[in-house]
């Protein structure tokens, strides 16, 4: 089968399975780039693609397009999904799957977190801006930062958050994001206070209660790109060294602080809504030395006369 027709069948199958538009767009973009590479290699049929071709493609991405290990693994994961589909549909044989023996690239595990000083700088900046300019955007961006720090929510979850999903009485937020699943996470009294005050301010600005918690200038849903632009501006203003200003860094910081305070890994897994505990354990492995103090303090052997 011609590669371009195989791609069309695969995308149709993903849409039929009701995958998110973002996931489908990722498949489209990745397979389009791979198809361009195959054209340069004068390959047009899926059965002509070998493990060697896949490896050359990944090397090209690494050497000529500066893809890091994480990006390479994401692209390989998408290719594996595509060729596994072709095997499932009996378009190619199992032994003809070119990605079967191509292993993922080893990644250097480095998870960045904000320091207490950096967090204070960001909070102070927004508080001063709110006091001086009294703009909706300053208050909104401050509320986003505080919510990220207080919940570890993902970027998509922040953008999808609606007021009907914020339960002030029971101190919970219902998130909707990755895998398009709803999950409930607890919030503190402090975050409840911040969000209630923001809601009052927001309602006065628009003359009505908005559907979404974090909105654009017209009161509609704030896009992921708009939030990323907030972080880009904040990065320029703060000029932090060695740490990326992003929703994911706030999420990592939330996880780091929870573990440092003694939270167990299973509770953290539920707080972060990880479907598997692997990622949560990665946090534990990285910050295990920091947890030594907690172990020294609470270890049951401390009180035994042995």
């Amino acid at each position: 089968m011609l590669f371009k027709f195989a791609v069309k069948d695969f995308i149709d199958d993903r849409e039929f399975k009701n995958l998110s538009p973002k996931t489908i767009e990722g498949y489209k973009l990745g397979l389009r780039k791979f198809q361009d590479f195959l054209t340069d290699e004068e390959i047009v049929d899926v059965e002509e693609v070998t493990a060697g071709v896949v490896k050359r493609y990944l090397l090209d991405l690494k050497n000529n397009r500066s893809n890091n290990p994480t990006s390479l693994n994401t692209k390989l994961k998408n290719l594996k999904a595509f060729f596994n589909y072709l095997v499932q549909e009996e378009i190619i044989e199992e032994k003809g799957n070119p990605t079967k023996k191509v292993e993922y690239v080893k990644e250097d595990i480095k998870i960045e977190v904000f320091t207490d000083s950096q967090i204070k700088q960001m909070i102070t900046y927004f508080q001063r801006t709110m006091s001086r300019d009294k703009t909706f955007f300053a208050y909104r961006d401050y509320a986003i930062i505080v919510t990220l720090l207080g919940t570890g929510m993902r970027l998509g979850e922040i953008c999808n958050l609606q007021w009907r999903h914020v339960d002030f009485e029971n101190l919970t937020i219902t998130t909707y994001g990755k895998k398009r699943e709803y999950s409930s996470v607890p919030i503190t009294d402090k975050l409840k206070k911040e969000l209630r005050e923001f809601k009052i301010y927001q309602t006065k600005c628009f003359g009505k209660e908005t559907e979404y918690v974090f909105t654009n200038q017209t009161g509609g849903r704030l896009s992921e790109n708009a939030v990323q632009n907030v972080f880009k501006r904040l990065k320029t203003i703060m000029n932090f060294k060695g740490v990326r200003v992003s929703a994911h860094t706030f999420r990592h910081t939330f996880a780091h602080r929870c573990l440092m305070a003694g939270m167990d890994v299973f509770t953290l897994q539920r707080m972060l809504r990880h479907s598997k505990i692997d990622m949560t354990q990665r946090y534990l492995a990285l910050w295990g030395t920091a947890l030594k103090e907690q172990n020294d303090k609470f270890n049951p052997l401390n009180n035994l006369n042995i």
Side-chain angles (χ1 to χ4, degrees), residues 39-89:
T39 300
D40 292 338
E41 295 269 315
E42 298 184 354
I43 295 173
V44 295
D45 197 293
V46 292
E47 294 184 347
E48 298 178 80
V49 182
T50 64
V53 171
V54 174
K55 289 178 181 178
R56 287 201 301 275
Y57 171 63
L58 296 174
L59 279 173
D60 178 66
L61 292 174
K62 176 185 176 183
N63 298 330
N64 301 323
R65 305 179 191 279
S66 302
N67 277 212
N68 60 32
T70 301
S71 296
L72 293 175
N73 285 337
T74 298
K75 291 179 174 64
L76 178 56
K77 180 181 178 181
N78 288 345
L79 287 178
K80 283 180 178 288
F82 170 68
F83 282 102
N84 286 340
Y85 163 78
L86 297 185
V87 171
Q88 177 185 330
E89 295 298 310

Side-chain angles (χ1 to χ4, degrees), residues 4-234:
K4 63 179 181 180
F5 294 140
V7 169
K8 184 180 184 307
D9 286 351
F10 173 72
I11 296 300
D12 287 345
D13 178 77
R14 302 298 104 162
E15 290 179 343
F16 175 75
K17 290 180 176 177
N18 200 30
L19 270 63
S20 71
K22 184 178 179 181
T23 299
I24 292 174
E25 190 57 36
Y27 280 130
K28 286 181 179 178
L29 180 61
L31 291 172
R32 192 180 306 127
K33 289 182 178 179
F34 186 54
Q35 185 176 348
D36 291 341
F37 177 81
L38 294 182
T39 300
D40 292 338
E41 295 269 315
E42 298 184 354
I43 295 173
V44 295
D45 197 293
V46 292
E47 294 184 347
E48 298 178 80
V49 182
T50 64
V53 171
V54 174
K55 289 178 181 178
R56 287 201 301 275
Y57 171 63
L58 296 174
L59 279 173
D60 178 66
L61 292 174
K62 176 185 176 183
N63 298 330
N64 301 323
R65 305 179 191 279
S66 302
N67 277 212
N68 60 32
T70 301
S71 296
L72 293 175
N73 285 337
T74 298
K75 291 179 174 64
L76 178 56
K77 180 181 178 181
N78 288 345
L79 287 178
K80 283 180 178 288
F82 170 68
F83 282 102
N84 286 340
Y85 163 78
L86 297 185
V87 171
Q88 177 185 330
E89 295 298 310
E90 300 182 349
I91 295 172
I92 61 174
E93 296 182 5
E94 175 73 33
K95 63 181 181 180
N97 185 342
T99 63
K100 187 175 181 180
K101 294 184 178 181
V102 180
E103 297 181 355
Y104 289 107
V105 181
K106 186 175 180 181
E107 298 182 37
D108 295 325
I109 300 175
K110 181 185 178 184
I111 299 180
E112 302 169 339
V113 298
F114 295 118
T115 64
D116 289 342
S117 174
Q118 289 169 336
I119 293 172
K120 187 175 181 180
Q121 280 180 253
M122 289 185 284
I123 296 296
T124 300
Y125 164 74
F126 281 117
Q127 288 176 336
R128 288 176 178 172
T129 305
M130 288 159 52
S131 176
R132 183 184 66 244
D133 300 338
K134 295 180 174 59
T135 65
F136 166 72
F137 301 107
Y139 205 155
R140 180 202 65 189
D141 297 347
Y142 167 78
I144 289 174
I145 296 297
V146 171
T147 303
L148 287 171
L149 284 171
T151 62
M153 291 172 67
R154 299 180 177 93
L155 175 60
E157 293 170 341
I158 280 287
C159 295
N160 290 330
L161 185 61
Q162 299 179 21
W163 284 118
R164 65 189 178 94
H165 293 147
V166 181
D167 188 339
F168 289 118
E169 183 177 345
N170 296 305
L171 294 179
T172 60
I173 282 179
T174 301
T175 66
Y176 178 75
K178 196 171 184 181
K179 296 183 179 179
R180 289 184 289 176
E181 294 177 346
Y182 286 99
S183 299
S184 180
V185 295
I187 61 174
T188 62
D189 282 318
K190 186 174 288 187
L191 182 55
K192 168 189 172 181
K193 177 177 177 292
E194 294 287 353
L195 287 176
R196 288 191 71 176
E197 290 178 354
F198 174 64
K199 184 178 183 180
I200 294 169
Y201 179 84
Q202 183 186 58
T203 302
K204 288 181 178 179
C205 285
F206 291 102
K208 62 177 182 179
E209 182 178 313
T210 61
E211 178 181 6
Y212 289 92
V213 175
F214 304 111
T215 64
N216 54 28
Q217 66 271 22
T218 62
R221 177 186 181 276
L222 191 65
S223 69
E224 285 85 347
N225 186 59
V227 179
Q228 289 169 340
N229 286 334
V230 170
F231 293 141
K232 285 179 182 178
R233 291 193 297 272
L234 188 58

